[in-house]
Amino acid sequence: MRVKFIGLILLTWCLTTACAQITAHTPTAAKSNRKEGFFQEYHEAYPIGKSSVENNVRSIAVDKSSNVFITTEAGVFEKSSGASTWTELPFQEEDKGPAYAVATDGNGTLWIGNWNGVFTFHHNLLTKMPGTTGPVSLICVAKEGVYALGPQGVWLNTGNQFLLKNYPVARSVRGVVSDGKAGLWITSDAGLYHVTEKATHHFYKTDILLSAELKGLAFDEKESLWITGLGGVSVISNGKRQAAITPADGCPSIYTSCVKRSPDKVMWIGTKVGVIRFYPGGKHSLLFSRRWLINDQVNDIVFDQEGSAWIATANGVSVIKKRWITLAQKQDYFYGVQMARHIREPWISGQCRMAVAGDTAHCSPEDDDNDGEYTGNYLAMESFRFAVTKSEDAREKAKKAFHFLKELKDITGGDGYFARTIVPIGWAAKVHDTNRLYTARERAEELVNEPRFKPVETRWHKSADGQWLWKGDASSDEWCGHMMGYYFYYQLAANKEEKALIRQHVASLVDHLIAHNYTMMDTDGSHTRWGVWSPALLNRDPEWQLDRSENSMELLAFLKLAYYCTDNEKYQQHYLQLVSKEHYLDNMAALTEQNPAWFIYFDVTMQAYLFPILIRCENDQRLRAFYQQLMDKWMEQRKGDHNPLINFLYCYARDKKAEQQASLDFLINTPLDLTDWHIDHTKREDVHMVHTPVLNELQVSELPPPEIRNTVRWDNNPWSATGGSDMVEREPVFWLYPYWMGRYLNMID
């Protein structure tokens, strides 16, 4: 049965920079010198077959040669070291059937417990061992020999056969570990047993255990016994409970299934909601979702000679590996992915769609409403890359990005009106938001729901040369992303000729707003749905009050950038009139006091884009002081987001160094897997579902670390409880942009 290798695009990486994904909160990573490097983790998925019978893995073992063995209801399978396929072990027909346990001993022999007894597998030879009565559901390799356990008894093999032990334990045995002194600790549905030749001790009361329904168990580095089961994890020593790990202590579920100690002394706990790791010192980290596990139900864990964790799940085997990497190598990897899959003609930075979830070898670009905004981020990133490296490659690519954004205006044939995005004419059948008609009833329904609704029936237009389709109804966020990109390109990378083009282009856009009472006029003669900055609407139409603060800030920034680039006094006069007569500064001052019904996280990103323009381009000390003080107050509210883009834009605008550690932690902890796997935090019991900071969205009470949140786009809410699209790979500009800005600010080595 062939394995479908879904997940990371590791081939190029392995051949070049040997990058990988990081573990959150690991002491090794936290203490390492970022210039020297840090460990990062990555995931490989190995389903066994097509049916649930084959894929529900019960037990897993790895020998010294890194061959992997698993048991399922369908039997026992092996994946040889380096192979990507599973083969069934050669049982005789009469012995085939459900298997439960596998373990390897020091001689390289595999011990198997199945429905009718115990088998060994050595040098490709299967041998049935005498002495047991099936089914055998547990195998334990100890100093004194090999134990077999099942509903019919407990046996010990010290030579060539198993001998029955007279241990009075429950028949519902679930886990076993040697005590190192010729005794066993055994878990069951009836509690915990410690058996020796002399005595049997039974523990089931709640002063020691969270509950009597128990599963796996393992010793930590201090010889305390960790016991999983219903309720969480009980940690006992000398017959007394030392600690309990429940959802209140970071366990994502009360249903814990197994526990193993890794070679680096980390306790890995399998649960119904992924793997939670507890490190020496008390920190912990969670891995769940398809990004990390082929299924969140974890049944067993084992470690190979390199320290990789092989995880048996309800849908196959996952392996979590790690390698040493530097931030510079990580940049190389992300940049390579960006160039390989996330640039499309005529130099648009955007996402791509996969034919099979996670299969980045077969993906194709697709249009997005925010192609302009995201390419503005890419333009800024390349500008910072040029400023740091003086690479002509960075400058040339920044130029291409700018000319695409300029083409968004030119292709419309308007006076400063620009498109959201453009696609080749051949994409007509696969674009998002195809042209449509609205009936009178549909219009009525939409208008009652949202009085500002605009029924745009012709979204896609054919270019004059017939080669492209361009999408209309551009929004305010597109303006913010464009203008931010133009500012940094003008400041950091554009040559003399390009600066002249930027001046002309920015002036034409702002002239369009001035000519149409500070709105973006669409092809139908009315403003686009979101392209409104007019005081007549923001200040005097109640329906636009919710956008008053944000859009006032935006218009001031657009006019300020136009004046900064062109020195044309016209833009300064419009700017000052809005300040003095229309109270746009007063409007903007309310940014940090936004009514909770009107606050959306999206606006935070737009504000971060524009503060550097307002502060760095303003020469009036009074106005600059206003922007600086407002940004300082705004930043106090944003520290908890641990957003490196916001942090570094603040540092750039204010000429300060702030939130450096949080930004570095994000850059280190970000996974390399850019598939936007569906993340559902509502399954977790260790966090609460809340409605903050965005009142009308369901969010988690603790900010998820990067490795267990949706693939980042900075205009999305990082606190969201659910989200993700398994068929989409996001562009890595979200990481590259703050990385190069941090380099420019000398906040990253």
Side-chain angles (χ1 to χ4, degrees):
M1 281 157 278
R2 294 193 61 81
V3 61
K4 189 176 292 182
F5 216 91
I6 303 174
L8 287 179
I9 39 171
L10 295 175
L11 180 59
T12 302
W13 162 56
C14 290
L15 294 175
T16 54
T17 62
C19 304
Q21 288 173 257
I22 183 126
T23 175
H25 311 304
T26 58
T28 302
K31 294 179 181 178
S32 66
N33 184 313
R34 270 66 174 186
K35 189 173 182 179
E36 294 176 356
F38 47 88
F39 277 118
Q40 286 200 286
E41 294 180 329
Y42 61 97
H43 170 224
E44 294 174 4
Y46 294 96
I48 293 83
K50 295 182 178 180
S51 70
S52 59
V53 170
E54 294 170 311
N55 284 323
N56 188 4
V57 183
R58 297 164 166 176
S59 177
I60 189 166
V62 183
D63 67 17
K64 292 182 179 180
S65 299
S66 295
N67 302 307
V68 185
F69 302 90
I70 58 171
T71 61
T72 74
E73 186 180 345
V76 185
F77 298 86
E78 175 188 8
K79 189 187 77 65
S80 299
S81 178
S84 59
T85 57
W86 296 93
T87 58
E88 191 173 1
L89 263 58
F91 281 87
Q92 297 295 321
E93 194 64 34
E94 63 268 22
D95 295 321
K96 286 185 177 181
Y100 304 97
V102 281
T104 57
D105 64 19
N107 299 318
T109 298
L110 179 72
W111 295 78
I112 303 165
N114 82 344
W115 69 279
N116 67 345
V118 175
F119 291 77
T120 60
F121 184 64
H122 190 67
H123 296 314
N124 294 317
L125 179 65
L126 263 175
T127 304
K128 186 171 184 180
M129 303 298 292
T132 64
T133 302
V136 171
S137 55
L138 296 172
I139 299 289
C140 178
V141 177
K143 294 178 182 178
E144 60 273 20
V146 177
Y147 290 91
L149 298 82
Q152 306 298 330
V154 179
W155 298 267
L156 172 63
N157 186 309
T158 59
N160 296 320
Q161 66 176 359
F162 282 92
L163 298 176
L164 182 65
K165 306 296 290 185
N166 187 27
Y167 292 149
V169 299
R171 297 169 63 191
S172 55
V173 292
R174 304 302 179 195
V176 61
V177 66
S178 169
D179 67 2
K181 302 174 184 178
L184 296 176
W185 288 94
I186 301 171
T187 56
S188 72
D189 293 351
L192 173 70
Y193 294 88
H194 183 219
V195 297
T196 67
E197 293 295 333
K198 296 181 179 180
T200 296
H201 299 279
H202 183 204
F203 306 90
Y204 61 91
K205 295 183 178 180
T206 55
D207 60 338
I208 295 177
L209 301 167
L210 288 170
S211 79
E213 185 177 315
L214 306 178
K215 300 295 184 182
L217 67 174
F219 287 101
D220 65 16
E221 62 173 333
K222 297 180 180 179
E223 294 301 315
S224 293
L225 187 62
W226 293 48
I227 307 157
T228 60
L230 182 63
V233 181
S234 303
V235 182
I236 69 171
S237 180
N238 298 320
K240 297 181 180 180
R241 186 162 77 194
Q242 303 299 313
I245 300 173
T246 67
D249 308 293
C251 193
S253 173
I254 66 165
Y255 301 102
T256 60
S257 54
C258 58
V259 57
K260 292 292 174 64
R261 184 179 68 185
S262 70
D264 54 356
K265 303 176 182 178
V266 177
M267 301 302 288
W268 291 55
I269 300 166
T271 79
K272 195 176 181 179
V273 191
V275 172
I276 183 77
R277 288 91 59 84
F278 282 84
Y279 305 93
K283 292 184 178 181
H284 62 271
S285 68
L286 172 66
L287 297 180
F288 83 118
S289 83
R290 182 56 186 79
R291 176 184 291 153
W292 293 107
L293 297 169
I294 200 166
N295 189 284
D296 283 338
Q297 174 61 57
V298 174
N299 299 326
D300 195 14
I301 304 168
V302 71
F303 299 93
D304 63 20
Q305 297 292 307
E306 296 180 349
S308 298
W310 292 83
I311 302 172
T313 81
N315 199 36
V317 174
S318 289
V319 56
I320 306 296
K321 298 183 176 181
K322 62 182 179 182
R323 295 193 182 182
W324 194 254
I325 185 178
T326 66
L327 277 177
Q329 288 175 317
K330 191 169 185 177
Q331 190 281 150
D332 291 342
Y333 170 74
F334 273 143
Y335 195 82
V337 172
Q338 173 70 19
M339 291 300 108
R341 291 198 295 276
H342 294 283
I343 294 291
R344 75 173 196 265
E345 291 297 329
W347 214 262
I348 303 172
S349 175
Q351 66 189 27
C352 62
R353 181 163 292 273
M354 296 166 285
V356 177
D359 182 10
T360 56
H362 301 91
C363 63
S364 56
E366 65 175 357
D367 67 278
D368 186 283
D369 265 6
N370 299 105
D371 279 342
E373 178 198 343
Y374 300 137
T375 304
N377 278 255
Y378 169 80
L379 170 59
M381 180 273 289
E382 291 287 16
S383 299
F384 276 106
R385 187 166 78 94
F386 172 78
V388 171
T389 66
K390 304 306 177 186
S391 164
E392 284 302 319
D393 177 74
R395 172 180 265 171
E396 183 60 28
K397 288 172 178 173
K399 178 180 178 181
K400 290 180 178 180
F402 167 70
H403 281 265
F404 156 66
L405 294 175
K406 182 175 178 295
E407 178 63 18
L408 289 178
K409 177 185 76 73
D410 296 342
I411 201 171
T412 69
D415 63 346
Y417 171 74
F418 62 81
R420 282 184 177 271
T421 189
I422 60 178
V423 300
I425 194 70
W427 285 27
K430 66 174 187 176
V431 294
H432 294 285
D433 300 325
T434 55
N435 296 343
R436 58 160 297 183
L437 297 176
Y438 287 88
T439 67
R441 290 174 177 80
E442 288 173 331
R443 288 171 181 256
E445 285 288 308
E446 295 286 358
L447 196 60
V448 169
N449 183 54
E450 204 246 287
R452 293 179 358 184
F453 171 73
K454 179 179 180 180
V456 181
E457 297 184 324
T458 305
R459 290 189 177 275
W460 292 96
H461 309 260
K462 186 183 293 187
S463 63
D465 62 6
Q467 300 300 307
W468 302 91
L469 293 173
W470 58 269
K471 191 174 188 179
D473 195 39
S475 64
S476 57
D477 51 289
E478 296 299 295
W479 274 84
C480 295
H482 286 223
M483 291 300 201
M484 179 265 298
Y486 300 150
Y487 169 71
F488 285 121
Y489 182 46
Y490 190 87
Q491 288 291 96
L492 303 173
N495 60 24
K496 182 178 180 181
E497 292 76 14
E498 286 293 293
K499 284 189 174 184
L501 288 177
I502 297 170
R503 286 192 289 270
Q504 295 168 12
H505 180 62
V506 170
S508 70
L509 300 183
V510 178
D511 284 345
H512 175 93
L513 296 185
I514 293 172
H516 299 287
N517 193 24
Y518 305 121
T519 64
M520 187 181 194
M521 193 61 62
D522 211 335
T523 56
D524 62 359
S526 64
H527 65 73
T528 65
R529 183 178 183 184
W530 303 107
V532 170
W533 300 272
S534 168
L537 294 173
L538 296 184
N539 286 347
R540 291 179 276 282
D541 184 339
E543 291 299 331
W544 283 93
Q545 184 177 354
L546 67 163
D547 294 305
R548 182 183 295 165
S549 297
E550 173 67 25
N551 288 24
S552 294
M553 177 188 190
E554 291 174 2
L555 183 56
L556 292 177
F558 303 160
L559 289 164
K560 180 54 60 178
L561 181 61
Y563 178 57
Y564 177 78
C565 291
T566 66
D567 281 330
N568 188 328
E569 196 65 28
K570 171 179 66 174
Y571 304 114
Q572 179 72 350
Q573 292 306 312
H574 279 274
Y575 171 86
L576 293 176
Q577 183 176 4
L578 290 169
V579 169
S580 62
K581 294 185 178 180
E582 298 293 350
H583 310 290
Y584 269 38
L585 283 188
D586 295 333
N587 294 349
M588 184 179 166
L591 282 176
T592 57
E593 301 169 0
Q594 188 80 314
N595 188 290
W598 302 337
F599 177 80
I600 55 175
Y601 194 86
F602 184 86
D603 285 347
V604 170
T605 307
M606 304 302 109
Q607 294 154 15
Y609 288 168
L610 300 179
F611 266 121
I613 296 173
L614 289 168
I615 292 174
R616 288 295 193 99
C617 298
E618 181 57 73
N619 291 322
D620 185 297
Q621 294 302 313
R622 179 184 63 86
L623 292 175
R624 179 183 287 182
F626 168 82
Y627 295 135
Q628 289 173 332
Q629 292 167 13
L630 181 61
M631 192 179 194
D632 288 346
K633 185 177 180 181
W634 172 87
M635 187 62 193
E636 283 299 314
Q637 297 178 346
R638 301 273 58 90
K639 286 182 178 180
D641 298 339
H642 296 178
N643 182 326
L645 182 63
I646 286 177
N647 295 344
F648 287 147
L649 284 169
Y650 173 79
C651 294
Y652 178 93
R654 296 292 286 114
D655 194 23
K656 293 182 176 181
K657 285 182 167 55
E659 300 303 306
Q660 183 176 20
Q661 190 61 54
S663 299
L664 283 172
D665 286 345
F666 177 89
L667 295 174
I668 288 173
N669 292 348
T670 297
L672 292 191
D673 186 352
L674 297 171
T675 298
D676 191 21
W677 296 110
H678 181 69
I679 306 288
D680 184 1
H681 292 285
T682 64
K683 299 190 299 183
R684 298 171 56 189
E685 299 179 60
D686 59 320
V687 293
H688 301 292
M689 297 301 112
V690 296
H691 287 281
T692 181
V694 181
L695 184 61
N696 66 351
E697 290 183 22
L698 187 63
Q699 295 141 101
V700 290
S701 56
E702 298 177 8
L703 180 69
E707 61 272 33
I708 55 170
R709 74 170 77 155
N710 299 126
T711 306
V712 172
R713 273 186 164 175
W714 287 122
D715 50 7
N716 290 340
N717 184 356
W719 302 78
S720 292
T722 63
S725 175
D726 292 357
M727 309 301 288
V728 170
E729 185 188 51
R730 300 293 193 191
E731 68 280 9
V733 173
F734 75 88
W735 191 95
L736 293 164
Y737 183 10
Y739 170 81
W740 283 111
M741 198 180 340
R743 288 280 305 274
Y744 178 83
L745 295 168
N746 292 318
M747 295 178 70
I748 300 174
D749 288 332

